[in-house]
Amino acid sequence: NIDWIATVKRVPQPDFWDEVATVAGAQVQGAVDSGIPGSISYGFVSGFCAGYALKQAGRVAAVVLGMGFVGMQALAYNGYIQVDHGKLKKDVEGLMDLNDD
């Protein structure tokens, strides 16, 4: 149990902050001595870098595919290319239909 009223009354006193710093410092030093923060920070940095790289690669891929689609649509709209929608539908259904039903 913590007596919150007594704790709040002690906040303005300098010895309160000395005690807090001593307890917190001991806990931090114990964690540093265990070596866990080093492995956590390495894992964190590695994971962050991998996630950031994949995010950027995904953005680039989305832009490239999107611009390709827009370009193809523009070419089709202006009559430079003709799309055989029946053949396209048949080919895509053949790829997606795994059980041939």
Side-chain angles (χ1 to χ4, degrees), residues 63-78 80-81:
V63 168
V64 168
L65 290 173
M67 293 300 289
F69 179 76
V70 169
M72 294 295 278
Q73 288 295 328
L75 290 172
Y77 179 78
N78 289 315
Y80 290 106
I81 59 173

Side-chain angles (χ1 to χ4, degrees), residues 31-79:
V32 169
D33 290 342
S34 71
I36 292 174
S39 63
I40 289 176
S41 63
Y42 175 75
F44 171 77
V45 171
S46 298
F48 179 81
C49 290
Y52 184 77
L54 287 173
K55 182 178 178 182
Q56 295 305 316
R59 283 184 179 174
V60 169
V63 168
V64 168
L65 290 173
M67 293 300 289
F69 179 76
V70 169
M72 294 295 278
Q73 288 295 328
L75 290 172
Y77 179 78
N78 289 315

